[in-house]
Each structure stands twice: as C-alpha cells, then as structure tokens.
Amino acid sequence: MKNIMIVEEDELERQFIKDIIKENYQRENLNVVEIQNGIDALSKARVFQPELVEMDIEVAGVNGLELQKEMLQIKPTIYTIWTSIYSNFDLLSQGLTYNIRGYLLKPYSKTQMMQHLDKFMMRKKKYTLSERYNKQFSEGINKAIQFIKKNFKQKTTIDDIANHVYLNPQYFARSLESV
C-alpha cells in the first residue's frame, strides 16, 4: 500500500487533488490522508509514514522547506511535490537539496498534477519490478550454488547449471560475470 499525504490549507484544493488520485489511480493500492496544516502534518507523518507528500509551500503553521526537512527525518525516502501561488525560485532551489521532486505553480491543471503523480507511480513500479527481479535472480543463483555443491565431484558445465535453473546458458554465463 502506498501512503499519500495531501498537506493543503484550502479544502477545495485538497479535494481536487484527492479526486485526481481517485479517478486516475484506482488500480493502485493507495491510502490518502488530508492535512490542513504543517504541525498536524508532522504528527500524522510519524504514524502514517507517507511515501508521497503533496504540500503547499506556505502551509499554515510552518514553512514548506522546514516541514520538508522534518519529513525527511521521519522518512528519508519521501517523494514530495510542492505547490504554491508564488514563484519563489530561491526557495525551490533550496528544496531540491531536500528531495523535492516536483513543483507546481497555482493554479495548475489536472494534467500537470497527473504528470507529477505519474512520475511517482512509475518510480514505485520500477522499484518493485527491480526488487522482484533481484529476488528471482538471487533465488536462481542460490539454486545454482546448491546444484554445484551437490555435483562438484562430477564434470559439470555451465550448460548443466543453466538448465538446472531454467535459464539460457549464454544468459546465465553473462549474469555470473556481473555478480
């Protein structure tokens, strides 16, 4: 499950973002919470552990940069999208050093928000796919090692080992070079 936190003072803005998420990412396993101010965002983040935070830079109770620094203390891998009615590029450049992944100047369109949300969703999918691949690769290597241990006294070729783990021999040999 992906935890998403919307930190925005304006109720209509929060609802707009939540509707975009609901309408366009139904297949994702998402848990979305809405927060009205920075102080509540910090306390909720400690429990909720959001993977994505969409926040207004000037959210009530705290500066967006300070809030982001605190969020990173709670969850260092947090993916943050900032929104603002101000085009404060100094603050934005500072934010980039604190894992700010997107910036939208208000008013923004549904399409603009979706572009940023798509980047987050694809990032998570790529990570999941590579994680799954690494697990399968590790299992294949472990099976190969067990096969070699079991048959070390016999003449064993790369073809024999690759066949045992159901891989093409050339692919298996190249995979071993990268280990």
Side-chain angles (χ1 to χ4, degrees), residues 12-69:
L12 291 174
E13 190 76 22
R14 286 193 316 270
Q15 191 59 51
F16 175 67
I17 296 164
K18 192 172 183 178
D19 288 346
I20 291 172
I21 293 168
K22 272 170 85 179
E23 290 170 14
N24 298 284
Y25 303 99
Q26 293 172 354
R27 291 184 176 170
E28 304 291 334
N29 191 12
L30 303 175
N31 189 14
V32 181
V33 296
E34 301 173 54
I35 309 291
Q36 291 182 20
N37 62 63
I39 295 163
D40 289 346
L42 283 174
S43 62
K44 184 69 174 179
R46 286 184 181 91
V47 177
F48 188 64
Q49 295 288 308
E51 293 175 83
L52 168 67
V53 174
E54 179 286 324
M55 79 167 93
D56 188 321
I57 294 176
E58 300 293 328
V59 70
V62 96
N63 168 288
L65 186 59
E66 294 305 315
L67 180 57
Q68 179 66 10
K69 290 176 185 178

Tab-separated table of all heavy atoms in Angstrom, residues 12-69:
chain	number	residue	atom	x	y	z
A	12	LEU	N	-10.931	22.969	-0.889
A	12	LEU	CA	-11.229	22.685	-2.299
A	12	LEU	C	-10.002	22.157	-3.030
A	12	LEU	O	-10.093	21.252	-3.869
A	12	LEU	CB	-11.769	23.938	-3.000
A	12	LEU	CG	-13.155	24.394	-2.577
A	12	LEU	CD1	-13.505	25.720	-3.241
A	12	LEU	CD2	-14.197	23.330	-2.908
A	13	GLU	N	-8.858	22.702	-2.702
A	13	GLU	CA	-7.602	22.245	-3.311
A	13	GLU	C	-7.298	20.799	-2.902
A	13	GLU	O	-6.915	19.967	-3.722
A	13	GLU	CB	-6.458	23.166	-2.880
A	13	GLU	CG	-5.176	22.956	-3.622
A	13	GLU	CD	-5.183	23.536	-5.024
A	13	GLU	OE1	-5.979	24.435	-5.300
A	13	GLU	OE2	-4.371	23.082	-5.839
A	14	ARG	N	-7.465	20.504	-1.622
A	14	ARG	CA	-7.255	19.125	-1.144
A	14	ARG	C	-8.193	18.170	-1.863
A	14	ARG	O	-7.783	17.090	-2.308
A	14	ARG	CB	-7.477	19.027	0.369
A	14	ARG	CG	-6.390	19.619	1.216
A	14	ARG	CD	-6.497	19.213	2.687
A	14	ARG	NE	-7.825	19.272	3.258
A	14	ARG	CZ	-8.354	20.345	3.863
A	14	ARG	NH1	-7.637	21.459	3.967
A	14	ARG	NH2	-9.567	20.301	4.373
A	15	GLN	N	-9.449	18.552	-1.993
A	15	GLN	CA	-10.432	17.687	-2.643
A	15	GLN	C	-10.095	17.496	-4.123
A	15	GLN	O	-10.248	16.403	-4.658
A	15	GLN	CB	-11.849	18.272	-2.495
A	15	GLN	CG	-12.940	17.311	-2.915
A	15	GLN	CD	-12.920	16.002	-2.121
A	15	GLN	OE1	-12.888	16.008	-0.904
A	15	GLN	NE2	-12.920	14.882	-2.822
A	16	PHE	N	-9.642	18.556	-4.781
A	16	PHE	CA	-9.242	18.488	-6.188
A	16	PHE	C	-8.133	17.450	-6.383
A	16	PHE	O	-8.212	16.591	-7.259
A	16	PHE	CB	-8.781	19.877	-6.660
A	16	PHE	CG	-8.237	19.922	-8.058
A	16	PHE	CD1	-9.056	19.686	-9.151
A	16	PHE	CD2	-6.904	20.227	-8.284
A	16	PHE	CE1	-8.549	19.745	-10.446
A	16	PHE	CE2	-6.389	20.291	-9.568
A	16	PHE	CZ	-7.223	20.049	-10.660
A	17	ILE	N	-7.136	17.501	-5.535
A	17	ILE	CA	-6.011	16.563	-5.633
A	17	ILE	C	-6.475	15.137	-5.313
A	17	ILE	O	-6.131	14.187	-6.018
A	17	ILE	CB	-4.862	16.993	-4.695
A	17	ILE	CG1	-4.319	18.339	-5.144
A	17	ILE	CG2	-3.756	15.942	-4.664
A	17	ILE	CD1	-3.465	19.043	-4.114
A	18	LYS	N	-7.273	15.001	-4.279
A	18	LYS	CA	-7.783	13.682	-3.900
A	18	LYS	C	-8.632	13.089	-5.029
A	18	LYS	O	-8.528	11.893	-5.330
A	18	LYS	CB	-8.601	13.776	-2.616
A	18	LYS	CG	-8.927	12.431	-2.008
A	18	LYS	CD	-9.554	12.596	-0.643
A	18	LYS	CE	-9.808	11.247	-0.001
A	18	LYS	NZ	-10.379	11.378	1.329
A	19	ASP	N	-9.448	13.907	-5.683
A	19	ASP	CA	-10.266	13.431	-6.808
A	19	ASP	C	-9.401	12.980	-7.977
A	19	ASP	O	-9.691	11.966	-8.613
A	19	ASP	CB	-11.243	14.518	-7.268
A	19	ASP	CG	-12.383	14.754	-6.280
A	19	ASP	OD1	-12.577	13.908	-5.375
A	19	ASP	OD2	-13.061	15.797	-6.409
A	20	ILE	N	-8.336	13.714	-8.251
A	20	ILE	CA	-7.410	13.306	-9.324
A	20	ILE	C	-6.840	11.928	-9.012
A	20	ILE	O	-6.788	11.049	-9.868
A	20	ILE	CB	-6.264	14.336	-9.488
A	20	ILE	CG1	-6.792	15.643	-10.063
A	20	ILE	CG2	-5.161	13.769	-10.385
A	20	ILE	CD1	-5.775	16.774	-10.066
A	21	ILE	N	-6.434	11.733	-7.789
A	21	ILE	CA	-5.852	10.452	-7.377
A	21	ILE	C	-6.890	9.337	-7.492
A	21	ILE	O	-6.620	8.283	-8.054
A	21	ILE	CB	-5.277	10.555	-5.952
A	21	ILE	CG1	-4.063	11.500	-5.952
A	21	ILE	CG2	-4.897	9.183	-5.413
A	21	ILE	CD1	-3.582	11.907	-4.582
A	22	LYS	N	-8.092	9.572	-6.975
A	22	LYS	CA	-9.149	8.549	-7.009
A	22	LYS	C	-9.548	8.172	-8.431
A	22	LYS	O	-9.701	7.000	-8.759
A	22	LYS	CB	-10.389	9.053	-6.265
A	22	LYS	CG	-10.353	8.749	-4.780
A	22	LYS	CD	-11.425	9.418	-4.021
A	22	LYS	CE	-12.746	8.973	-3.818
A	22	LYS	NZ	-13.650	9.750	-3.038
A	23	GLU	N	-9.710	9.183	-9.291
A	23	GLU	CA	-10.167	8.951	-10.657
A	23	GLU	C	-9.121	8.271	-11.535
A	23	GLU	O	-9.470	7.521	-12.428
A	23	GLU	CB	-10.567	10.275	-11.313
A	23	GLU	CG	-11.815	10.888	-10.746
A	23	GLU	CD	-12.046	12.307	-11.261
A	23	GLU	OE1	-11.390	12.722	-12.243
A	23	GLU	OE2	-12.885	13.006	-10.665
A	24	ASN	N	-7.858	8.545	-11.292
A	24	ASN	CA	-6.818	8.117	-12.226
A	24	ASN	C	-5.901	7.015	-11.734
A	24	ASN	O	-5.125	6.475	-12.513
A	24	ASN	CB	-5.977	9.334	-12.628
A	24	ASN	CG	-6.823	10.360	-13.341
A	24	ASN	OD1	-7.153	10.191	-14.496
A	24	ASN	ND2	-7.213	11.407	-12.629
A	25	TYR	N	-5.985	6.679	-10.472
A	25	TYR	CA	-5.080	5.671	-9.932
A	25	TYR	C	-5.837	4.628	-9.121
A	25	TYR	O	-5.377	4.191	-8.068
A	25	TYR	CB	-3.984	6.346	-9.090
A	25	TYR	CG	-3.222	7.379	-9.888
A	25	TYR	CD1	-3.529	8.736	-9.773
A	25	TYR	CD2	-2.236	7.006	-10.794
A	25	TYR	CE1	-2.860	9.689	-10.533
A	25	TYR	CE2	-1.564	7.952	-11.554
A	25	TYR	CZ	-1.885	9.289	-11.413
A	25	TYR	OH	-1.221	10.219	-12.175
A	26	GLN	N	-7.006	4.236	-9.621
A	26	GLN	CA	-7.858	3.281	-8.912
A	26	GLN	C	-7.190	1.928	-8.736
A	26	GLN	O	-7.422	1.245	-7.752
A	26	GLN	CB	-9.176	3.081	-9.665
A	26	GLN	CG	-10.047	4.303	-9.691
A	26	GLN	CD	-11.242	4.123	-10.612
A	26	GLN	OE1	-11.359	3.129	-11.313
A	26	GLN	NE2	-12.137	5.096	-10.602
A	27	ARG	N	-6.367	1.541	-9.692
A	27	ARG	CA	-5.731	0.216	-9.636
A	27	ARG	C	-4.596	0.146	-8.623
A	27	ARG	O	-4.179	-0.931	-8.229
A	27	ARG	CB	-5.196	-0.165	-11.013
A	27	ARG	CG	-6.287	-0.423	-12.000
A	27	ARG	CD	-5.726	-0.882	-13.287
A	27	ARG	NE	-6.817	-1.204	-14.192
A	27	ARG	CZ	-6.662	-1.461	-15.460
A	27	ARG	NH1	-5.458	-1.425	-15.989
A	27	ARG	NH2	-7.691	-1.751	-16.208
A	28	GLU	N	-4.093	1.300	-8.247
A	28	GLU	CA	-3.027	1.341	-7.257
A	28	GLU	C	-3.636	1.107	-5.877
A	28	GLU	O	-4.769	1.464	-5.620
A	28	GLU	CB	-2.333	2.705	-7.281
A	28	GLU	CG	-1.780	3.116	-8.623
A	28	GLU	CD	-0.598	2.291	-9.084
A	28	GLU	OE1	0.118	1.730	-8.227
A	28	GLU	OE2	-0.393	2.211	-10.297
A	29	ASN	N	-2.867	0.534	-5.018
A	29	ASN	CA	-3.308	0.310	-3.644
A	29	ASN	C	-2.876	1.528	-2.834
A	29	ASN	O	-1.757	1.579	-2.329
A	29	ASN	CB	-2.689	-0.985	-3.121
A	29	ASN	CG	-3.300	-1.415	-1.823
A	29	ASN	OD1	-4.321	-0.898	-1.392
A	29	ASN	ND2	-2.662	-2.368	-1.172
A	30	LEU	N	-3.762	2.534	-2.745
A	30	LEU	CA	-3.407	3.814	-2.144
A	30	LEU	C	-4.203	4.100	-0.881
A	30	LEU	O	-5.369	3.761	-0.787
A	30	LEU	CB	-3.669	4.952	-3.143
A	30	LEU	CG	-2.958	4.860	-4.483
A	30	LEU	CD1	-3.416	5.984	-5.394
A	30	LEU	CD2	-1.457	4.883	-4.306
A	31	ASN	N	-3.546	4.759	0.031
A	31	ASN	CA	-4.172	5.241	1.248
A	31	ASN	C	-3.872	6.742	1.303
A	31	ASN	O	-2.716	7.132	1.427
A	31	ASN	CB	-3.593	4.512	2.456
A	31	ASN	CG	-4.337	4.813	3.722
A	31	ASN	OD1	-5.433	5.356	3.704
A	31	ASN	ND2	-3.714	4.479	4.835
A	32	VAL	N	-4.908	7.571	1.173
A	32	VAL	CA	-4.728	9.015	1.079
A	32	VAL	C	-5.284	9.700	2.327
A	32	VAL	O	-6.404	9.413	2.739
A	32	VAL	CB	-5.438	9.579	-0.172
A	32	VAL	CG1	-5.234	11.088	-0.285
A	32	VAL	CG2	-4.956	8.877	-1.442
A	33	VAL	N	-4.477	10.594	2.915
A	33	VAL	CA	-4.959	11.409	4.031
A	33	VAL	C	-4.799	12.878	3.675
A	33	VAL	O	-3.889	13.249	2.939
A	33	VAL	CB	-4.243	11.112	5.369
A	33	VAL	CG1	-4.508	9.713	5.840
A	33	VAL	CG2	-2.782	11.408	5.295
A	34	GLU	N	-5.697	13.678	4.217
A	34	GLU	CA	-5.673	15.118	4.004
A	34	GLU	C	-5.335	15.807	5.322
A	34	GLU	O	-5.895	15.470	6.357
A	34	GLU	CB	-7.045	15.602	3.538
A	34	GLU	CG	-7.531	14.969	2.255
A	34	GLU	CD	-8.962	15.377	1.956
A	34	GLU	OE1	-9.249	16.595	1.917
A	34	GLU	OE2	-9.787	14.467	1.778
A	35	ILE	N	-4.423	16.776	5.253
A	35	ILE	CA	-3.985	17.515	6.429
A	35	ILE	C	-4.080	19.010	6.111
A	35	ILE	O	-3.697	19.436	5.018
A	35	ILE	CB	-2.519	17.166	6.805
A	35	ILE	CG1	-2.300	15.656	6.899
A	35	ILE	CG2	-2.099	17.885	8.068
A	35	ILE	CD1	-2.978	14.980	8.040
A	36	GLN	N	-4.533	19.798	7.084
A	36	GLN	CA	-4.738	21.234	6.856
A	36	GLN	C	-3.550	22.112	7.215
A	36	GLN	O	-3.460	23.242	6.764
A	36	GLN	CB	-5.944	21.723	7.662
A	36	GLN	CG	-7.249	21.188	7.177
A	36	GLN	CD	-8.398	21.764	7.998
A	36	GLN	OE1	-8.273	22.783	8.648
A	36	GLN	NE2	-9.529	21.078	7.951
A	37	ASN	N	-2.628	21.626	8.043
A	37	ASN	CA	-1.522	22.499	8.446
A	37	ASN	C	-0.255	21.685	8.696
A	37	ASN	O	-0.292	20.464	8.815
A	37	ASN	CB	-1.886	23.324	9.681
A	37	ASN	CG	-2.165	22.462	10.886
A	37	ASN	OD1	-1.282	21.749	11.370
A	37	ASN	ND2	-3.391	22.497	11.381
A	38	GLY	N	0.856	22.401	8.767
A	38	GLY	CA	2.150	21.761	8.903
A	38	GLY	C	2.365	21.033	10.209
A	38	GLY	O	3.008	19.982	10.253
A	39	ILE	N	1.848	21.554	11.290
A	39	ILE	CA	2.029	20.922	12.600
A	39	ILE	C	1.328	19.567	12.633
A	39	ILE	O	1.904	18.569	13.067
A	39	ILE	CB	1.537	21.860	13.725
A	39	ILE	CG1	2.434	23.101	13.748
A	39	ILE	CG2	1.535	21.152	15.070
A	39	ILE	CD1	1.868	24.275	14.505
A	40	ASP	N	0.084	19.525	12.140
A	40	ASP	CA	-0.639	18.246	12.071
A	40	ASP	C	0.045	17.286	11.098
A	40	ASP	O	0.049	16.079	11.311
A	40	ASP	CB	-2.093	18.466	11.652
A	40	ASP	CG	-2.924	19.134	12.732
A	40	ASP	OD1	-2.462	19.196	13.895
A	40	ASP	OD2	-4.040	19.599	12.406
A	41	ALA	N	0.626	17.838	10.016
A	41	ALA	CA	1.308	17.002	9.024
A	41	ALA	C	2.463	16.234	9.657
A	41	ALA	O	2.649	15.042	9.400
A	41	ALA	CB	1.798	17.847	7.859
A	42	LEU	N	3.226	16.907	10.491
A	42	LEU	CA	4.364	16.252	11.146
A	42	LEU	C	3.914	15.143	12.086
A	42	LEU	O	4.469	14.036	12.063
A	42	LEU	CB	5.210	17.266	11.912
A	42	LEU	CG	6.130	18.120	11.059
A	42	LEU	CD1	6.810	19.176	11.920
A	42	LEU	CD2	7.150	17.261	10.345
A	43	SER	N	2.926	15.420	12.897
A	43	SER	CA	2.482	14.387	13.840
A	43	SER	C	1.855	13.208	13.093
A	43	SER	O	2.077	12.055	13.455
A	43	SER	CB	1.523	14.963	14.879
A	43	SER	OG	0.363	15.463	14.276
A	44	LYS	N	1.104	13.479	12.039
A	44	LYS	CA	0.486	12.397	11.258
A	44	LYS	C	1.547	11.605	10.495
A	44	LYS	O	1.462	10.384	10.393
A	44	LYS	CB	-0.546	12.984	10.288
A	44	LYS	CG	-1.303	11.961	9.502
A	44	LYS	CD	-2.231	11.165	10.378
A	44	LYS	CE	-3.099	10.244	9.538
A	44	LYS	NZ	-4.004	9.444	10.336
A	45	ALA	N	2.572	12.284	9.990
A	45	ALA	CA	3.624	11.610	9.223
A	45	ALA	C	4.386	10.595	10.069
A	45	ALA	O	4.803	9.549	9.567
A	45	ALA	CB	4.595	12.635	8.640
A	46	ARG	N	4.537	10.864	11.334
A	46	ARG	CA	5.239	9.932	12.211
A	46	ARG	C	4.521	8.581	12.277
A	46	ARG	O	5.153	7.541	12.361
A	46	ARG	CB	5.372	10.533	13.605
A	46	ARG	CG	6.404	11.621	13.678
A	46	ARG	CD	6.601	12.170	15.100
A	46	ARG	NE	7.592	13.217	15.086
A	46	ARG	CZ	7.313	14.509	14.920
A	46	ARG	NH1	6.063	14.899	14.772
A	46	ARG	NH2	8.282	15.399	14.904
A	47	VAL	N	3.212	8.615	12.222
A	47	VAL	CA	2.412	7.386	12.288
A	47	VAL	C	2.136	6.827	10.890
A	47	VAL	O	2.273	5.641	10.644
A	47	VAL	CB	1.069	7.671	13.011
A	47	VAL	CG1	0.185	6.444	13.029
A	47	VAL	CG2	1.312	8.171	14.421
A	48	PHE	N	1.776	7.704	9.979
A	48	PHE	CA	1.305	7.328	8.642
A	48	PHE	C	2.438	6.913	7.708
A	48	PHE	O	2.251	6.107	6.814
A	48	PHE	CB	0.523	8.521	8.065
A	48	PHE	CG	-0.191	8.262	6.783
A	48	PHE	CD1	-1.230	7.355	6.698
A	48	PHE	CD2	0.150	8.976	5.640
A	48	PHE	CE1	-1.906	7.146	5.507
A	48	PHE	CE2	-0.511	8.774	4.448
A	48	PHE	CZ	-1.551	7.858	4.387
A	49	GLN	N	3.637	7.461	7.902
A	49	GLN	CA	4.811	7.170	7.086
A	49	GLN	C	4.512	7.308	5.584
A	49	GLN	O	4.587	6.340	4.818
A	49	GLN	CB	5.333	5.751	7.383
A	49	GLN	CG	5.857	5.553	8.786
A	49	GLN	CD	7.177	6.255	9.000
A	49	GLN	OE1	8.111	6.079	8.235
A	49	GLN	NE2	7.236	7.083	10.034
A	50	PRO	N	4.187	8.516	5.130
A	50	PRO	CA	3.816	8.689	3.718
A	50	PRO	C	4.988	8.461	2.775
A	50	PRO	O	6.134	8.766	3.094
A	50	PRO	CB	3.359	10.144	3.660
A	50	PRO	CG	4.106	10.810	4.756
A	50	PRO	CD	4.213	9.780	5.846
A	51	GLU	N	4.670	7.903	1.620
A	51	GLU	CA	5.672	7.750	0.567
A	51	GLU	C	5.663	8.967	-0.348
A	51	GLU	O	6.679	9.318	-0.922
A	51	GLU	CB	5.391	6.492	-0.249
A	51	GLU	CG	5.587	5.237	0.564
A	51	GLU	CD	5.183	4.013	-0.205
A	51	GLU	OE1	6.007	3.535	-0.997
A	51	GLU	OE2	4.045	3.554	-0.035
A	52	LEU	N	4.475	9.567	-0.479
A	52	LEU	CA	4.315	10.770	-1.290
A	52	LEU	C	3.632	11.838	-0.449
A	52	LEU	O	2.652	11.549	0.239
A	52	LEU	CB	3.454	10.478	-2.527
A	52	LEU	CG	2.967	11.695	-3.327
A	52	LEU	CD1	4.123	12.407	-4.005
A	52	LEU	CD2	1.935	11.268	-4.358
A	53	VAL	N	4.183	13.050	-0.508
A	53	VAL	CA	3.552	14.193	0.145
A	53	VAL	C	3.369	15.275	-0.906
A	53	VAL	O	4.317	15.649	-1.592
A	53	VAL	CB	4.401	14.747	1.310
A	53	VAL	CG1	3.789	16.025	1.857
A	53	VAL	CG2	4.529	13.709	2.410
A	54	GLU	N	2.143	15.740	-1.030
A	54	GLU	CA	1.861	16.909	-1.857
A	54	GLU	C	1.588	18.008	-0.856
A	54	GLU	O	0.726	17.876	0.002
A	54	GLU	CB	0.650	16.660	-2.752
A	54	GLU	CG	0.272	17.851	-3.630
A	54	GLU	CD	-0.387	18.998	-2.897
A	54	GLU	OE1	-1.163	18.758	-1.958
A	54	GLU	OE2	-0.098	20.165	-3.235
A	55	MET	N	2.387	19.094	-0.915
A	55	MET	CA	2.186	20.152	0.075
A	55	MET	C	2.339	21.534	-0.531
A	55	MET	O	3.127	21.745	-1.444
A	55	MET	CB	3.135	19.987	1.258
A	55	MET	CG	4.546	20.460	1.021
A	55	MET	SD	5.512	20.586	2.534
A	55	MET	CE	6.278	18.991	2.573
A	56	ASP	N	1.559	22.445	0.020
A	56	ASP	CA	1.692	23.855	-0.292
A	56	ASP	C	2.934	24.354	0.442
A	56	ASP	O	3.135	24.040	1.613
A	56	ASP	CB	0.444	24.597	0.184
A	56	ASP	CG	0.413	26.037	-0.267
A	56	ASP	OD1	1.479	26.692	-0.272
A	56	ASP	OD2	-0.670	26.518	-0.619
A	57	ILE	N	3.768	25.127	-0.243
A	57	ILE	CA	4.992	25.636	0.373
A	57	ILE	C	4.672	26.509	1.583
A	57	ILE	O	5.397	26.515	2.569
A	57	ILE	CB	5.824	26.454	-0.638
A	57	ILE	CG1	6.332	25.561	-1.747
A	57	ILE	CG2	6.998	27.135	0.042
A	57	ILE	CD1	7.069	26.301	-2.839
A	58	GLU	N	3.575	27.225	1.516
A	58	GLU	CA	3.210	28.159	2.585
A	58	GLU	C	2.062	27.607	3.428
A	58	GLU	O	1.127	28.321	3.758
A	58	GLU	CB	2.799	29.511	1.980
A	58	GLU	CG	3.887	30.168	1.167
A	58	GLU	CD	5.087	30.606	1.985
A	58	GLU	OE1	4.905	30.976	3.158
A	58	GLU	OE2	6.201	30.572	1.442
A	59	VAL	N	2.127	26.339	3.785
A	59	VAL	CA	1.048	25.732	4.556
A	59	VAL	C	1.035	26.317	5.968
A	59	VAL	O	2.080	26.653	6.525
A	59	VAL	CB	1.178	24.188	4.568
A	59	VAL	CG1	2.357	23.740	5.390
A	59	VAL	CG2	-0.090	23.527	5.019
A	60	ALA	N	-0.168	26.463	6.502
A	60	ALA	CA	-0.332	27.101	7.818
A	60	ALA	C	0.494	26.408	8.902
A	60	ALA	O	0.541	25.191	8.980
A	60	ALA	CB	-1.808	27.092	8.218
A	61	GLY	N	1.132	27.232	9.718
A	61	GLY	CA	1.836	26.709	10.876
A	61	GLY	C	3.307	26.461	10.677
A	61	GLY	O	4.050	26.368	11.646
A	62	VAL	N	3.770	26.382	9.419
A	62	VAL	CA	5.185	26.069	9.214
A	62	VAL	C	5.595	26.400	7.777
A	62	VAL	O	4.789	26.357	6.859
A	62	VAL	CB	5.450	24.575	9.568
A	62	VAL	CG1	5.415	23.674	8.392
A	62	VAL	CG2	6.698	24.383	10.347
A	63	ASN	N	6.856	26.727	7.579
A	63	ASN	CA	7.427	26.972	6.263
A	63	ASN	C	7.622	25.633	5.552
A	63	ASN	O	8.042	24.654	6.168
A	63	ASN	CB	8.767	27.705	6.460
A	63	ASN	CG	9.600	27.778	5.211
A	63	ASN	OD1	10.150	26.781	4.770
A	63	ASN	ND2	9.688	28.972	4.660
A	64	GLY	N	7.345	25.582	4.252
A	64	GLY	CA	7.435	24.337	3.487
A	64	GLY	C	8.806	23.692	3.499
A	64	GLY	O	8.936	22.470	3.551
A	65	LEU	N	9.850	24.511	3.467
A	65	LEU	CA	11.206	23.967	3.499
A	65	LEU	C	11.502	23.331	4.857
A	65	LEU	O	12.046	22.224	4.926
A	65	LEU	CB	12.227	25.064	3.185
A	65	LEU	CG	13.672	24.604	3.041
A	65	LEU	CD1	13.823	23.573	1.933
A	65	LEU	CD2	14.577	25.797	2.780
A	66	GLU	N	11.110	24.006	5.913
A	66	GLU	CA	11.314	23.452	7.255
A	66	GLU	C	10.500	22.175	7.446
A	66	GLU	O	10.963	21.200	8.035
A	66	GLU	CB	10.960	24.484	8.327
A	66	GLU	CG	11.875	25.692	8.343
A	66	GLU	CD	13.346	25.333	8.473
A	66	GLU	OE1	13.686	24.469	9.317
A	66	GLU	OE2	14.161	25.897	7.719
A	67	LEU	N	9.273	22.189	6.930
A	67	LEU	CA	8.431	20.999	7.016
A	67	LEU	C	9.062	19.834	6.261
A	67	LEU	O	9.094	18.701	6.758
A	67	LEU	CB	7.025	21.298	6.468
A	67	LEU	CG	6.022	20.154	6.477
A	67	LEU	CD1	5.820	19.591	7.881
A	67	LEU	CD2	4.679	20.617	5.896
A	68	GLN	N	9.610	20.108	5.086
A	68	GLN	CA	10.261	19.050	4.312
A	68	GLN	C	11.465	18.483	5.053
A	68	GLN	O	11.674	17.267	5.073
A	68	GLN	CB	10.675	19.574	2.932
A	68	GLN	CG	11.382	18.554	2.059
A	68	GLN	CD	10.507	17.378	1.648
A	68	GLN	OE1	9.298	17.372	1.848
A	68	GLN	NE2	11.110	16.370	1.062
A	69	LYS	N	12.255	19.326	5.675
A	69	LYS	CA	13.414	18.857	6.444
A	69	LYS	C	12.963	17.908	7.562
A	69	LYS	O	13.575	16.863	7.782
A	69	LYS	CB	14.182	20.035	7.042
A	69	LYS	CG	14.925	20.865	6.029
A	69	LYS	CD	15.581	22.067	6.715
A	69	LYS	CE	16.251	23.000	5.747
A	69	LYS	NZ	16.844	24.170	6.431
